[in-house]
Amino acid sequence: MMNKICIIGVGLIGGSFAAGLKQANKVNTIVGFGRDEKNLAKAKELKVIDEYSLDIAQALKDVDLVLIATPVNSFKAILEMIKPHVNEQMIITDVGSTKGSVIQIAKQVFGHMPEHFIPAHPIAGKEQSGIEAADASLFNHRRVIITPDKNANTQSVVAVSDLWESVGAKIEIMNETKHDDLLAMTSHLPHMLAFSLMDYLISSNPQACNYAAGGFKDFSRIASSDAIMWRDICINNPDQIIKHIEGYQKSLDKIANLIKTQQSEALEQVFHEAKSARDSWLKD
C-alpha cells in the first residue's frame, strides 16, 4: 500500500485510476494537480481525490508516485515542471497512448531515462471525457501495457504493475516499438477510420447522418472521442499510423476491385473470413 500519490490531469483516465485505487484501498492519500481548479474541486467533491493543489511543489510533496494523465503533447512541459521536485525514490508513470515518444521526451528532459520512470498505457476508455465520466471499474479485465526501459528499476515496475492490478487490470510488458505498432493497428487506425468516415459524410452530404441506422452508429461511435488527445496521438506516432492507413487502403482497394469485377464468391470469402475472425475474438 502506498502512502501518497499525485495525479496530474484528473480527467477520465486519471480520475478512474484514482477512483479504482480508493475502492481497492491501495493508497492513503491521492492528490490532484492541474490548471483547472473547478475540475479539481469537482474531483474532490466526488471523492475521487482527497486533496488538490495548483502548486506543483506542494502537490508532489512526500509523494511515492506521480501519474501523468494528460495529452502526450503536454509531456515535455510537465516533465520540465516536475523535474526540480523529483527525488530518487519517486516513481513516475503515465497513461499515454504512444510510448516511444514518451520515452524520447523523458530522455530529452532528464538527459537519460530515469530508472524510476515506468511508462504505461491502459487499453481502456470511453468517448466521454472529464472527471464526471470517471469510473472505478473502467479498467476491470482490461489490458495495461507497461513498457519499461532497459535500465528500469525492477521494484518500480512491480509497484506500477501492482497498482494497475489492484484496479482490475491485466498487465502485459513489452517494448515501446511493439506497443506503438500494435496500438496503431488496433486503436489508432480505427479512430482514424471513424473520424474520416464522419469527415467524408459531412463534406459529401451533411444530411446523410439523418438516414443512418444502428450499424453506422456503432461504427462511428469513437469519432466522439477527444479531438485534442487524438491529434496528439497522430503527431506522436505518425510512421506507424500512416503505415497501417496505407495497409488498410490496400484492403479497401481489394474489396473495391472484387465488387467492380463482380467476383461474388471471392467477395463472400473475404466477408466470411472477417466475420469468423471477429466472432472468434469476441469469444476469447
Side-chain angles (χ1 to χ4, degrees):
M1 184 170 182
M2 286 194 177
N3 182 50
K4 190 176 183 181
I5 72 169
C6 174
I7 295 180
I8 298 177
V10 190
L12 170 64
I13 301 299
S16 295
F17 184 65
L21 291 178
K22 291 182 73 66
Q23 189 175 82
N25 196 32
K26 289 294 292 185
V27 180
N28 286 328
T29 304
I30 299 178
V31 182
F33 174 84
R35 296 175 297 178
D36 186 346
E37 185 169 10
K38 183 178 179 181
N39 180 72
L40 293 169
K42 184 66 175 179
K44 185 176 180 181
E45 177 188 331
L46 294 172
K47 301 188 185 303
V48 171
I49 59 175
D50 300 297
E51 56 188 72
Y52 68 84
S53 178
L54 302 179
D55 180 343
I56 192 62
Q58 183 62 34
L60 293 181
K61 185 178 181 181
D62 300 323
V63 303
D64 302 304
L65 175 146
V66 55
L67 174 81
I68 303 172
T70 60
V72 177
N73 272 7
S74 68
F75 273 40
K76 187 172 188 292
I78 288 174
L79 291 178
E80 288 173 342
M81 176 180 62
I82 71 172
K83 182 180 177 181
H85 312 287
V86 173
N87 60 49
E88 292 183 359
Q89 287 73 43
M90 188 186 299
I91 299 171
I92 306 171
T93 188
D94 76 298
V95 296
S97 295
T98 62
K99 301 275 55 106
S101 62
V102 167
I103 291 173
Q104 288 305 311
I105 291 168
K107 290 179 177 179
Q108 289 174 21
V109 173
F110 292 98
H112 64 283
M113 185 62 176
E115 64 174 337
H116 295 290
F117 192 155
I118 313 299
H121 177 210
I123 313 300
K126 300 178 182 179
E127 57 268 33
Q128 300 92 354
S129 58
I131 189 59
E132 290 85 357
D135 179 359
S137 64
L138 183 65
F139 308 109
N140 281 351
H141 309 297
R142 300 296 184 91
R143 278 189 173 86
V144 170
I145 300 176
I146 297 178
T147 62
D149 196 52
K150 58 185 179 182
N151 71 330
N153 178 274
T154 302
Q155 290 182 328
S156 295
V157 175
V158 171
V160 171
S161 300
D162 181 58
L163 288 180
W164 281 112
E165 287 176 341
S166 74
V167 299
K170 298 184 290 185
I171 305 301
E172 191 162 339
I173 294 178
M174 64 179 66
N175 66 48
E176 69 276 12
T177 302
K178 181 179 180 181
H179 168 277
D180 287 355
D181 185 59
L182 284 173
L183 268 295
M185 187 185 300
T186 61
S187 175
H188 306 167
L189 176 62
H191 279 80
M192 298 307 103
L193 301 183
F195 287 131
S196 63
L197 175 62
M198 292 305 303
D199 177 67
Y200 173 69
L201 259 65
I202 61 179
S203 61
S204 300
N205 184 350
Q207 303 302 317
C209 290
N210 296 334
Y211 302 93
F216 178 83
K217 182 179 180 180
D218 291 342
F219 185 89
S220 64
R221 176 185 62 83
I222 54 178
S224 293
S225 299
D226 185 83
I228 294 175
M229 180 183 77
W230 282 100
R231 175 203 67 188
D232 286 1
I233 288 170
C234 289
I235 297 302
N236 284 280
N237 199 25
D239 293 344
Q240 299 297 346
I241 292 174
I242 291 170
K243 178 181 78 173
H244 291 302
I245 288 175
E246 292 174 345
Y248 184 76
Q249 184 63 55
K250 292 178 182 178
S251 182
L252 281 179
D253 290 343
K254 179 179 74 174
I255 291 175
N257 184 62
L258 293 176
I259 296 171
K260 183 178 181 179
T261 56
Q262 296 288 289
Q263 297 185 54
S264 59
E265 291 185 4
L267 195 62
E268 180 183 348
Q269 182 64 24
V270 171
F271 295 162
H272 176 74
E273 290 175 357
K275 172 179 166 50
S276 296
R278 186 176 190 276
D279 290 347
S280 176
W281 168 65
L282 289 176
K283 290 177 183 177
D284 290 343

